């Protein structure tokens, strides 16, 4: 299998953490691609017509893409138990919440990185941060009992989302007023899989 990936992508990091946690990291050839929304990589487009990373190229079937699909495939392949049936809807909702944070946080970066300065719409940027902030509040109030339980894909997704906020939106100080979530992340981020997948700035 080949994993098409790119630097600090938090969606790629979800897959990397999953590979480490399920002892499959060495089963995959890691291929870095240089891609942006404006200049997608040709190899990536050949694998994923949407042109997004990550994409997992398989020898025995079609390429699969979207981090949620890849992570579920890898978990099933290894029998890792990261999607426990007895609480599957909670796990999937928590993963979707984390991915919603990432979608908004990445769009904030894109708005200032790929648009001319005079066309950047700060009201739109703040609207995206509003999504992030509400989701963080929900994690801190509704989801701590789940996060403090047995690890599943929800834990991995949330940790990668919070790590990305530290990487790209540290000035927003997401920890303020969210002591429980901050303490949980400080502990979870010390896992070997999180340390091994820490992206460069």
């Amino acid at each position: 299998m080949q994993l098409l990936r790119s630097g600090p992508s938090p969606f790629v990091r979800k897959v990397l953490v999953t590979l480490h946690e399920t002892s499959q990291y060495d089963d995959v050839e890691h291929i870095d691609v240089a891609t942006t929304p404006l200049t997608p990589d040709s190899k990536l487009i050949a694998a994923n017509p949407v042109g997004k990373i990550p994409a997992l190229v398989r020898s025995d079937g079609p390429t699969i893409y979207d981090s949620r699909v890849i992570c579920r495939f890898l978990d099933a392949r290894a029998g890792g138990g990261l999607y426990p049936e007895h609480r599957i809807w909670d796990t999937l909702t928590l993963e979707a919440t984390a991915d919603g944070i990432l979608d908004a946080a990445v769009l904030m970066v894109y708005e200032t990185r790929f648009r001319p300065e005079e066309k950047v719409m700060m009201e739109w940027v703040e609207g995206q941060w509003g999504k992030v902030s509400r989701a963080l509040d929900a994690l801190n109030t509704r989801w701590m009992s789940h996060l403090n339980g047995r690890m599943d894909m929800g834990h991995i997704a949330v940790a990668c989302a919070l790590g990305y906020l530290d990487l790209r939106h540290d000035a927003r100080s997401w920890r303020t007023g969210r002591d429980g979530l901050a303490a949980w992340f400080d502990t979870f981020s010390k896992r070997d899989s999180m340390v091994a997948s820490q992206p460069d700035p």
Side-chain angles (χ1 to χ4, degrees), residues 41-164:
D41 181 89
S42 59
K43 183 176 179 64
L44 178 61
I45 289 176
N48 176 4
V50 179
K52 290 185 175 182
I53 51 170
L56 186 68
V57 181
R58 300 180 295 162
S59 59
D60 59 349
T63 297
I64 57 177
Y65 39 86
D66 187 282
S67 63
R68 276 181 275 193
V69 178
I70 295 173
C71 288
R72 190 136 190 194
F73 167 80
L74 291 171
D75 180 63
R77 181 177 185 264
L82 294 175
Y83 291 91
E85 191 59 36
H86 70 282
R87 57 177 183 183
I88 189 62
W89 303 117
D90 289 349
T91 300
L92 291 175
T93 300
L94 191 55
E95 184 181 12
T97 301
D99 281 2
I101 290 172
L102 287 178
D103 286 337
V106 169
L107 287 174
M108 291 170 67
V109 172
Y110 284 175
E111 179 71 7
T112 55
R113 181 175 294 175
F114 296 113
R115 287 174 68 87
E117 184 177 355
E118 68 276 9
K119 293 184 178 180
V120 170
M121 186 178 177
M122 291 311 299
E123 295 91 341
W124 190 86
V125 171
E126 292 306 317
Q128 298 304 314
W129 182 254
K131 298 176 187 179
V132 173
S133 184
R134 291 189 298 271
L136 292 172
D137 287 342
L139 292 174
N140 192 61
T141 56
R142 302 178 203 166
W143 290 100
M144 289 312 303
S145 61
H146 187 113
L147 289 172
N148 286 319
R150 185 179 181 276
M151 187 188 72
D152 59 26
M153 184 52 62
H155 296 67
I156 293 173
V158 168
C160 290
L162 299 180
Y164 186 74

Side-chain angles (χ1 to χ4, degrees), residues 187-201:
T187 298
F188 194 89
S189 62
K190 294 180 176 66
R191 294 182 70 88
D192 290 345
S193 60
M194 292 291 290
V195 173
S197 62
Q198 179 68 36
D200 295 327

